[in-house]
Structures are given as structure tokens and as C-alpha cells.
Amino acid sequence: MSGTELLEIRQLTTVFPTRRGEVRAVDGVNLRLKPGQLLGLVGESGCGKSTVLLSILRLIRQPGQIVQGEILFRGRDLRKQSGKAMRAIRGKDIAMIFQDPLSTLNPVFVVGEQIREALRIHHIVSGPRWPWPLDIAVRQNEKKRVLKIMEDVGIPSPMDRYAAYPHQFSGGMQQRALIAMALICGPSILLADEPTTALDVTIQAQIMDLMRQINQSHGTAIILVTHDLGLAAEFCDTIAVMYAGRIVEQGSVDQIVTDPQHPYTEGLLACRPRIQQREQRVQPIPGNVPDLAALPVGCAFAPRCKYARELCAQVSIPMFSVEDGRFSRCLRHTDFRIEPHLGWDEIVRL
């Protein structure tokens, strides 16, 4: 890992055993994240985006497991860390905004105390917990810090909202509370799992503006998981497109939006409604999402691809370097040869 990278994922593979066989929810994913970078992870529901984030924090529940790969955070492989070491990293160095506030926030505790819990667990506010008068001083300092972060994320009247329960918050305020919980310890990386789900467009814009301010003011690197390519293009500087557990294309926002190299990325762009072109119909991607328990040998997108050739269904397509910082898992724009003596899976770029 080079010194400029905060997080590097190498050949990450996460599987879930089922009655129908092993499901490779994440299959050989490679990602790099630099300090302050905004990375969008885009794809249809069920393609493995959220599983990537949970794998980074090692929150995959049994019987699912990470079977291969490295997750290097500042040079340390998180797969090799003990449970105690991971608990010290979660929330403090790498924090996550989960998708559903109602299932994340505990309904029987006030919001302010739920935000303060991370400070208590990681001992962010210094000071002894004993004797009792000093413990009170630490609690007061923690509360001040919570009130400050609630104000920073745009929660009005933080003193009153501190003692409110989650059901007394609107959807947008619940999402802001989750962001406050994630930011309270000053993490280097923020994992945002569709943070604007079920929010109207006005609140969605406010949440995304808030996350951009966090990135600019604190230098926090953010991985944004979303199925909305337009949202990722507006917010991020780099996009990785994911399909059937694999990254199929990666590059800068301008590269992805103006010159997509993979047919799936083309399909996502064609699905976006355009206000300026009222007469033009939205073009859906034909076919169905593949069954992850019965993926084809070759390209998983081949049955839905208008450019597919016979070879696409016969060989495993590697990730090709199109240009500096630009990658695509497609043969259409690539000159290649097959080495028969190495097997049909061996494709070598010319």
C-alpha cells in the first residue's frame, strides 16, 4: 500500500452459504481510498454494496464470512485484528451511517445519550471516572461535545433535542442524529450506506450538503453507497460501479458519466430521467438481475448486454486498465488475446 492511501481493499470475497449453494455476495473486490476522497459505490439493490461496507468493519454475521482478501487501514490488515482491536477502530477511526435510522436508533433511550455512548466507549473526553465528582465533570464535558455535534449537523435546539426519543424526530432529523453518532469521535473514514433512503428530495439535498461540508471541514474520507448514479455523480469525485458482487467499472466522475466503458454503466445512465428531453423515454436495462447462487462462468451481465458475444459467456472477464486510474471489466473496448495453454479463463491484454 502506498503512503497516500488511507484504505486499500484487495480481492475481498464475502460468501453466504444457502440451501442452493454458496452465494458470493462480494467477489474479488479491489478499492482504494485516499484521505479526503469521496468514493461512490453504485449498483442495483442486492449487488453487494452494503456487504462491502459491513466487511470493512467485520460486521458480517454468521454463517456469512470473509473468505479471502485484505482490508488494509493505514497499513494494518483489519482481517487480522482481534475483536478488541476492531471494537477500538469501529466508531473511532472508521464510522458507519446505517441505512435505516428507525432500526439503528434504540427507541427506549434518548437520542443525546445514544450519541454520547461512543465518547464513553472510546474514552474520547479525557479525565478519570473516579472519584464521583470527577466522573460528573467528564459527563458534563461529553454532553457539551454532543450538543456541539448536534448543532453542527443541523439539529435545531440541541439542548431540548438531547432528551428527545427517536420517535420524536422527523426522518431527516433521525438521519442527522445518525450522522452525529458517526462523527462524534472524529473518524478518518465515514461509510454511508444509502443515507438518503426514504427521504424527500429537499431533505436528501440537505443531508448530502451536510456530508460535503463534513468532508471539506474535517477532511473525512467518505464511501457513499447508493443505487442513484446521478446522486453519486453530483456528490463524489470517484465512482466504482458494482454488479453481481464485482466492480465492473471504476474511474473519476467525469470519465464515468461522459464516457462509460461498461454496458451496465451505460444502462444506469440511460435510466436517468432528463428534464430537458421531455419527449425521450427512460430506457430500462433489459432482463433480470442474476441469481448470485447460480452465476454464469463468464460475464454476469452478458445475458442483459446488447454487445455480448459468445466469448463473454465462456470466460471470466478480468478488470482491464483502460487508462490511468480508469478500469473496466469488459472486452468491448479492449484488445486482448486468449492463452489456450493456460485455460479459457486466462485473458491477456495486448
Side-chain angles (χ1 to χ4, degrees), residues 128-333:
R129 293 279 175 182
W130 186 262
W132 178 74
L134 295 178
D135 180 67
I136 293 296
V138 172
R139 287 176 175 269
Q140 290 175 344
N141 289 334
E142 288 175 346
K143 185 172 181 179
K144 289 180 182 178
R145 183 156 177 164
V146 172
L147 294 174
K148 178 63 167 60
I149 197 69
M150 291 176 72
E151 182 180 1
D152 290 345
V153 300
I155 297 177
S157 305
M159 184 66 74
D160 297 329
R161 293 287 186 170
Y162 186 99
Y165 289 90
H167 72 272
Q168 296 174 302
F169 278 50
S170 65
M173 288 298 107
Q174 289 175 353
Q175 198 67 59
R176 291 174 188 269
L178 286 188
I179 295 174
M181 291 172 63
L183 293 177
I184 191 68
C185 294
S188 302
I189 299 176
L190 186 62
L191 308 178
D193 187 6
E194 303 205 35
T196 57
T197 299
L199 300 178
D200 61 55
V201 292
T202 303
I203 303 300
Q204 173 180 291
Q206 293 175 2
I207 295 298
M208 298 312 298
D209 286 342
L210 172 60
M211 292 180 61
R212 185 178 287 107
Q213 292 172 15
I214 292 166
N215 168 260
Q216 294 173 351
S217 60
H218 300 285
T220 305
I222 300 176
I223 299 180
L224 172 68
V225 159
T226 179
H227 61 271
D228 187 344
L229 184 55
L231 178 65
E234 182 179 354
F235 176 76
C236 301
D237 47 52
T238 306
I239 292 178
V241 181
M242 196 168 182
Y243 185 79
R246 290 186 168 188
I247 303 295
V248 296
E249 184 169 359
Q250 186 172 356
S252 69
V253 168
D254 291 340
Q255 290 171 334
I256 295 293
V257 173
T258 61
D259 185 26
Q261 297 290 302
H262 196 279
Y264 178 60
T265 311
E266 285 188 8
L268 291 178
L269 289 169
C271 288
R272 294 184 304 157
R274 293 172 174 80
I275 299 177
Q276 298 87 350
Q277 301 174 355
R278 298 181 180 179
E279 302 297 328
Q280 185 176 357
R281 291 179 176 269
V282 174
Q283 298 296 324
I285 301 175
N288 299 313
V289 177
D291 183 356
L292 293 182
L295 288 175
V297 176
C299 177
F301 190 69
R304 309 174 69 182
C305 179
K306 61 182 178 181
Y307 306 108
R309 295 174 284 179
E310 183 178 356
L311 183 64
C312 296
Q314 296 175 345
V315 298
S316 178
I317 313 298
M319 185 73 91
F320 292 108
S321 177
V322 180
E323 54 184 295
D324 186 28
R326 182 75 184 281
F327 304 93
S328 176
R329 195 182 297 274
C330 185
L331 302 178
R332 185 161 59 104
H333 298 296

